[in-house]
Amino acid sequence: MAVIIDGKKVAAEIRHELKEKVEWLRSLNVRVPGLVTILVGDNPASLSYVTSKGKACNEIGMLSKIEKLSADTSEEELLKLIDSYNSNNDYDGILVQLPLPKHINEDKVIERIAPSKDVDGFHPISVGNLVIGKDTFYPCTPYGVVELLKRYKIETSGKHVVVVGRSNIVGKPVANLLLQKKEGANAVVTVCHSAAKDLSRFTKEADILIAAIGRPYFIKADMIKDGVAVIDVGINRVEDSTLPKGYKLVGDVDYEGVSKKASFITPVPGGVGPMTIAMLLQNTFLAYIKITKQKLS
Ligand SMILES: NC(=O)c1ccc[n+]([C@@H]2O[C@H](COP(=O)([O-])OP(=O)(O)OC[C@H]3O[C@@H](n4cnc5c(N)ncnc54)[C@H](OP(=O)(O)O)[C@@H]3O)[C@@H](O)[C@H]2O)c1
């Protein structure tokens, strides 16, 4: 049976490490890192994400603010608000919760965030720096995947990582992160997508398989080799009438079968999911360090 990668535990460790650093800053009587999260509209899922992010900041002693704007906020108003936080010295990180209402151009909004405060890692400058291997902010979920591999001492150097999914928020950045010529990466990476013919041909070759597809139970035991480390990024709702909510959350991997063949596996929930907010806090702390260093130099 596979070792279960406990993302909840690792995320709690990261939050604890950051809390100690923030407490140390407070003891010095200096400014602490701050994150502003901007929500446009009243999408319940987005509201819940934004609330969790704010709560996580507060729990570790960081400064946190949630800007809740009505669904009819104009693009111009949103851009102005971003400008005001770009020049606000109390906030090191700016996160605009996606998706945005249809009348607002998401690309324009992401590009307006100062790259030095782009803690979501979606700004084209951050993406470009990641691709060319320069110091930058990594998107939080892929960063969480790499951190899980690192903390579970799963060797990546020279290993064949197969990523299924090529989205800009998971597949492409995780592939780029693991491709970098540095410690905790240096992998040989294959990226698959919906046009792949005979996907199993690729997945069976993986030493590390990363599933970011958005289809429940998609990766089956007969698609992998024995001993592969499996990272399941997927979060899918499937009906379950036995539960009060009427549904449960499952991953892209058929956990039952795959966990019998894999060496490591992330459960859903409790695997990659909890890492996203932990890495957002980490990015906010890094933004604070970079901004502080710049001011001192
Ligand atoms: N915090 C977290 O843990 C977190 C964060 C983000 C996302 N997620 C979850 O991760 C999953 C993926 O998210 P996403 O945003 O990357 O999804 P996405 O934008 O829908 O991308 C899905 C990718 O899977 C590929 N794909 C779909 N069907 C396929 C098939 N039959 N064979 C091979 N590839 C196939 C698609 O290929 P094409 O490009 O060809 O269409 C696409 O590249 C979702 O379940 C999402 O909820 C979790």
Side-chain angles (χ1 to χ4, degrees):
M1 281 298 279
V3 172
I4 297 169
I5 297 179
D6 189 345
K8 238 171 141 176
K9 187 172 132 242
V10 175
E13 278 167 18
I14 293 168
R15 289 198 306 270
H16 179 72
E17 290 160 13
L18 289 169
K19 187 173 184 209
E20 286 190 337
K21 288 177 187 164
V22 175
E23 274 169 5
W24 177 71
L25 290 171
R26 283 196 186 275
S27 75
L28 300 177
N29 237 348
V30 295
R31 186 180 78 80
V32 295
L35 173 71
V36 60
T37 312
I38 304 174
L39 172 69
V40 187
D42 46 18
N43 177 315
S46 294
L47 178 63
S48 148
Y49 293 142
V50 162
T51 309
S52 305
K53 287 165 187 172
K55 203 170 142 225
C57 272
N58 292 331
E59 277 169 6
I60 65 161
M62 278 186 183
L63 182 66
S64 154
K65 187 165 183 182
I66 301 177
E67 290 278 5
K68 285 186 194 149
L69 309 181
S70 64
D72 60 359
T73 302
S74 70
E75 186 178 283
E76 207 41 51
E77 283 170 304
L78 177 57
L79 294 175
K80 265 193 189 149
L81 185 68
I82 293 172
D83 286 342
S84 74
Y85 281 105
N86 280 340
S87 55
N88 183 326
N89 291 331
D90 290 333
Y91 293 92
D92 307 278
I94 303 172
L95 183 146
V96 178
Q97 186 64 46
L98 303 177
L100 289 168
K102 287 201 166 47
H103 65 277
I104 300 179
N105 181 330
E106 273 185 13
D107 289 344
K108 215 167 159 184
V109 169
I110 291 170
E111 283 169 36
R112 194 63 162 252
I113 297 170
S116 60
K117 298 192 176 192
D118 176 37
V119 287
D120 234 355
F122 293 154
H123 192 291
I125 289 186
S126 306
V127 177
N129 280 335
L130 167 59
V131 173
I132 60 173
K134 277 175 85 174
D135 180 36
T136 189
F137 295 110
Y138 304 140
C140 303
T141 302
Y143 192 9
V145 168
V146 172
E147 196 62 28
L148 283 178
L149 293 171
K150 189 172 128 194
R151 293 199 184 217
Y152 273 81
K153 299 188 170 31
I154 298 170
E155 182 61 77
T156 52
S157 182
K159 301 292 176 187
H160 187 193
V161 174
V162 176
V163 181
V164 188
R166 59 171 161 187
S167 72
N168 289 337
I169 60 165
V170 189
K172 279 184 204 154
V174 85
N176 277 301
L177 269 167
L178 287 163
L179 192 59
Q180 294 191 47
K181 194 168 182 174
K182 65 184 221 187
E183 211 185 308
N186 209 25
V188 176
V189 182
T190 299
V191 183
C192 301
H193 45 76
S194 66
K197 299 206 169 46
D198 187 11
L199 186 67
S200 292
R201 181 159 73 87
F202 301 101
T203 54
K204 275 182 183 160
E205 292 291 316
D207 300 313
I208 299 171
L209 179 69
I210 301 176
I213 312 161
R215 291 180 172 224
Y217 313 119
F218 188 83
I219 302 289
K220 305 271 196 265
D222 64 0
M223 296 170 72
I224 57 162
K225 69 177 182 191
D226 283 322
V228 58
V230 177
I231 307 292
D232 188 354
V233 185
I235 302 178
N236 308 289
R237 273 188 187 192
V238 295
E239 265 184 45
D240 187 337
S241 54
T242 64
L243 297 174
K245 287 183 289 190
Y247 70 87
K248 62 178 176 181
L249 295 179
V250 303
D252 290 344
V253 173
D254 180 17
Y255 187 88
E256 271 297 298
V258 169
S259 58
K260 293 189 178 86
K261 272 177 98 175
S263 54
F264 291 87
I265 191 164
T266 57
V268 178
V272 175
M275 292 298 288
T276 301
I277 292 185
M279 301 325 287
L280 171 67
L281 300 176
Q282 171 83 0
N283 273 347
T284 305
F285 192 81
L286 289 175
Y288 170 89
I289 298 288
K290 283 183 193 173
I291 288 170
T292 308
K293 268 189 185 162
Q294 233 170 27
K295 278 189 188 144
L296 293 175
S297 63

